[in-house]
Amino acid sequence: MGVSGFIKGFSFLHRTKPRTRFHPYGYIQWRNFSDSKILNGNDSLLPVLIVGAGPVGLVLSILLNKFGIKCTLLEKNKVFSQHPQAHFINNRTMEVFRKLDGLAEEIQRSQPPVDLWRKFIYCTSLTGSILGSVDHMHPKDFEKVVSPISVAHFSQYKLTRILVKMLENLGFGIHSLEGPEGLHPEPLRGREILMGHECVSIDTTDECVTATVSFSKEGKLLTRKIQSKILIGADGAGSTVRKLVGIELKGEKDLQKLVSVHFWSKELGQYLLNKRPGMLFFIFNTEAIGVLVAHDLTQGEFVLQIPFYPPQQNLEDFSPEDATFCRYARIAERFVCGNNQIMLCGDAAHRFPPAGGFGMNTGIQDAHNLAWKIASLMKGVAPSSILATYETERKPIAVFNTALSVQNFRAAMAVPATLGLDPTVANSVHQVINKGVGSILPSGMQKVILDGIFSIGRTQLSGLILNENNPLGSSRLAKLRHIFEEGKSLQLQFPAEDLGFRYLEGALVPDSKDVASALELPTGRRRDYVPCADPGSRLPHMNVRVLSDFPSEETISTHDLVSVDKVEFLLIIAPVEESYNLAQAAFKAAEEYKVSTKVCVLWPADTVTGFQPGSKAKLPWKNYTDVIEVKSSSDSLSWWRTCQMTERGAILVRPDEHIAWRSKSSIVGDPYAKMNMVFSTILGFKSQPIQETVS
């Protein structure tokens, strides 16, 4: 099968072949890296060993490094992938990237202009009739009212390249088994990426995790042992770590098999750039059905995904050389095991259909949740039980995102079903041939039958049927328009879920009257995000200006008040007497628990003119800052109304920008006792339940 069915009438693509690369999904090219040996004694015990140097493992290592925790990464492959893989970065992940030394800004500069990728286009071929298009960007997506940054379209291998460079700038070395550095192996010091090293066994004791690692040097397969306090499995969907510790995946498998073809064609890129720019092109005609992912129209970088039905079809049917991958919806039974010493992150813990970009985004948010908890344990701030809250918090989010991605996948299937090509029917036919009466037929005959049935099915896409003058075609086109207009097709953005997900229990203090309910069932359609300050929610964004001796008009986000360089909690209060007393109590309690805490006094807009002493008299020599609201318009809600609270309330924010505790109004009783119990509960020390009393 060639590409002619996808690009009918595009003559120059038949005259000159596009430059192509074909990789299995997740395929890594190989090269050799250096050995290093383990130190004897206590120095050999690494704080954290991360297995897997994909985006999740790389981001986790950057976050840990910022918190002052050393780690080493193992990657079984010898070079990083050049296959585009994931490419959509959602709002919450971009917020995380804002805190990583300009990473978000670099992505925004480097990604294609948004007008070139905001649409999904449904067509009979890349040059044929357009059946419909969906614009996934709304004006509010650019207004920065609910978030300080927008989504991005940026290929995974490009992101990996930037992350590796960031780690090198932080002092990490990529070690090779060949070359001059291989002649003088050095002990692990906690800032290495060891390529070509595969974890082959894991043993745990109360003191450490021992990973046996294999690597090849000068044609010989060697092994060594690496000991660490914590081991993280961030090694992808086929996670070796997950298998070694005996954790099962539960859920749907083989939702669909696809052939993925990575190719380059500047001619095709320029054509689409000028005629019909978009991110995804869904192609339906009598010769071919598939999805073209435009990673970069300007550079002409594409991935073509074609339905694949083995064993009747095989890779030789596709030219010149293609790769397959399956769509799954599966969750690991556990995210944490081994006495809270081993954790799974990213695709190692959950596998989603590639419908909405949930895989990489959920994984990076896993890392964001986990990093501060590991740092809290390593710095003696919290007991090891805080690591158990990683699973408590992140597994429900993974379950929810799985359901949402499956809903989105089903929505994608609604379009071909409306055109008379129900994928469930195709899968049923395939099952009958594989496992039913067709299985007794010779393989050659099975292939002929399968191809014949699919060919008959594709006649539904004939121009004789699919036109407004044909009653059946007219009806189908009308239903198709309805699907697009009602937002019932494949969606790209989910603001309510991307920004509004909430941890119901874990390293937080629920409201005393708050009944923890199950997450609302996903609809598969775009819903707007409504900010709130419920415990477990992401801190709402608002622009503020810092009040200091050096007046400045520069505005920052409330997210920027949360430190990324140390494990520090942020207490947000209004400039009222009771809240200042609470802040003093919070400082005292934080000292007891040896946890850094900063107070933000948030002044209402237009209440401060020029620089005033602010809170110095109330909070002398303490870690605090005064900021003032910067409203985007005259009718914008105030901070406390945005949070659905009164100005006599308070919000305690965790290092991952999620709300750990809040009081809607004034606290009656001893504020120190209250804050002592709050920190005890969040950090995981044994304490009596907190009884919330408000006035």
Side-chain angles (χ1 to χ4, degrees), residues 587-654:
F587 280 131
K588 183 178 178 182
E591 288 175 1
E592 294 289 330
Y593 286 95
K594 299 181 175 62
V595 59
S596 178
T597 299
K598 179 180 180 179
V599 170
C600 170
V601 184
L602 205 153
W603 295 74
D606 304 323
T607 59
V608 179
T609 56
F611 174 72
Q612 297 179 2
S615 304
K616 187 173 183 179
K618 302 290 184 181
L619 303 170
W621 312 110
K622 295 292 185 180
N623 183 20
Y624 78 92
T625 185
D626 286 294
V627 303
I628 186 169
E629 298 173 350
V630 177
K631 289 194 172 185
S632 57
S633 64
S634 59
D635 59 350
S636 297
L637 295 179
S638 69
W639 167 253
W640 298 106
R641 287 191 63 192
T642 296
C643 294
Q644 303 174 35
M645 294 172 57
T646 73
E647 66 172 8
R648 306 216 172 247
I651 298 172
L652 185 67
V653 187
R654 307 187 323 190

Side-chain angles (χ1 to χ4, degrees), residues 488-518:
K488 295 180 180 179
S489 61
L490 180 72
Q491 297 298 299
L492 180 66
Q493 288 209 71
F494 296 91
E497 292 80 9
D498 292 343
L499 298 177
F501 67 88
R502 178 188 176 195
Y503 306 134
L504 297 178
E505 56 181 334
L508 53 89
V509 184
D511 285 348
S512 60
K513 297 180 181 179
D514 183 28
V515 178
S517 58

Side-chain angles (χ1 to χ4, degrees), residues 95-106:
E95 288 180 347
V96 175
F97 287 173
R98 282 185 73 250
K99 310 297 283 290
L100 301 184
D101 302 326
L103 175 58
E105 292 76 10
E106 184 167 357

Side-chain angles (χ1 to χ4, degrees), residues 187-500:
L188 294 177
R189 299 186 182 278
R191 284 189 176 135
E192 301 93 357
I193 304 176
L194 304 180
M195 305 295 284
H197 286 62
E198 182 174 8
C199 182
V200 295
S201 72
I202 297 172
D203 296 296
T204 61
T205 66
D206 291 340
E207 291 76 30
C208 70
V209 182
T210 301
T212 302
V213 178
S214 70
F215 59 98
S216 178
K217 185 172 183 180
E218 297 177 351
K220 296 180 180 180
L221 187 64
L222 306 175
T223 63
R224 60 173 165 188
K225 296 184 184 298
I226 301 177
Q227 293 184 319
S228 62
K229 296 179 182 177
I230 290 173
L231 185 144
I232 308 295
D235 49 341
S239 172
T240 299
V241 171
R242 186 185 66 234
K243 294 172 184 175
L244 289 173
V245 298
I247 295 178
E248 297 289 332
L249 287 175
K250 298 294 184 181
E252 296 185 65
K253 60 185 296 186
D254 290 349
L255 288 174
Q256 187 178 32
K257 289 184 173 68
L258 298 174
V259 169
S260 178
V261 183
H262 179 203
F263 71 94
W264 298 75
S265 171
K266 282 201 171 185
E267 296 93 335
L268 178 58
Q270 286 301 310
Y271 172 80
L272 295 175
L273 196 66
N274 295 325
K275 298 293 185 180
R276 49 180 70 169
M279 176 192 284
L280 299 185
F281 297 83
F282 298 83
I283 303 161
F284 304 96
N285 62 57
T286 56
E287 295 179 36
I289 297 171
V291 181
L292 184 74
V293 184
H295 282 264
D296 193 323
L297 290 176
T298 303
Q299 297 298 318
E301 184 175 18
F302 300 93
V303 168
L304 180 62
Q305 297 177 352
I306 311 166
F308 180 53
Y309 296 91
Q312 292 79 23
Q313 294 179 346
N314 53 63
L315 291 182
E316 285 71 29
D317 296 329
F318 301 86
S319 60
E321 182 185 345
D322 306 83
T324 63
F325 68 92
C326 302
R327 290 179 167 176
Y328 293 88
R330 312 188 77 191
I331 305 292
E333 290 182 304
R334 291 171 291 153
F335 286 17
V336 179
C337 68
N339 195 28
N340 299 330
Q341 296 167 293
I342 301 172
M343 278 133 275
L344 302 178
C345 282
D347 287 353
H350 40 69
R351 301 182 68 178
F352 308 128
F358 291 97
M360 184 179 71
N361 289 293
T362 304
I364 287 170
Q365 291 158 33
D366 289 343
H368 194 222
N369 178 284
L370 185 56
W372 75 271
K373 295 175 180 179
I374 291 175
S376 296
L377 171 64
M378 294 296 181
K379 293 179 177 294
V381 171
S384 64
S385 60
I386 196 170
L387 298 183
T389 69
Y390 164 67
E391 177 177 317
T392 303
E393 294 178 353
R394 292 303 299 172
K395 187 174 180 180
I397 302 304
V399 170
F400 181 87
N401 285 351
T402 299
L404 183 55
S405 63
V406 169
Q407 286 271 20
N408 207 25
F409 174 74
R410 304 294 186 205
M413 297 300 100
V415 171
T418 300
L419 294 173
L421 295 168
D422 192 335
T424 60
V425 174
N427 290 335
S428 297
V429 169
H430 188 225
Q431 287 296 315
V432 169
I433 294 176
N434 274 347
K435 300 178 181 179
V437 293
S439 61
I440 64 175
L441 299 174
S443 59
M445 188 174 293
Q446 290 182 27
K447 175 175 168 42
V448 170
I449 292 173
L450 185 70
D451 290 346
I453 291 172
F454 287 171
S455 179
I456 293 171
R458 289 196 299 270
T459 60
Q460 301 293 315
L461 303 172
S462 165
L464 296 175
I465 296 176
L466 202 60
N467 68 77
E468 295 291 354
N469 296 322
N470 183 301
L472 178 59
S474 178
S475 173
R476 287 176 174 174
L477 291 172
K479 290 179 181 177
L480 205 59
R481 286 192 294 270
H482 178 75
I483 287 174
F484 297 145
E485 291 167 0
E486 296 296 316
K488 295 180 180 179
S489 61
L490 180 72
Q491 297 298 299
L492 180 66
Q493 288 209 71
F494 296 91
E497 292 80 9
D498 292 343
L499 298 177

Side-chain angles (χ1 to χ4, degrees), residues 101-152:
D101 302 326
L103 175 58
E105 292 76 10
E106 184 167 357
I107 290 171
Q108 288 185 318
R109 287 193 302 269
S110 304
Q111 71 171 346
V114 68
D115 285 343
L116 302 185
W117 54 263
R118 61 193 294 168
K119 292 182 179 181
F120 291 176
I121 295 173
Y122 299 78
C123 53
T124 58
S125 76
L126 294 178
T127 59
S129 301
I130 292 180
L131 302 172
S133 67
V134 179
D135 187 343
H136 292 281
M137 302 299 292
H138 296 183
K140 64 181 67 174
D141 296 331
F142 306 101
E143 293 171 357
K144 298 186 178 180
V145 173
V146 298
S147 176
I149 198 162
S150 186
V151 300

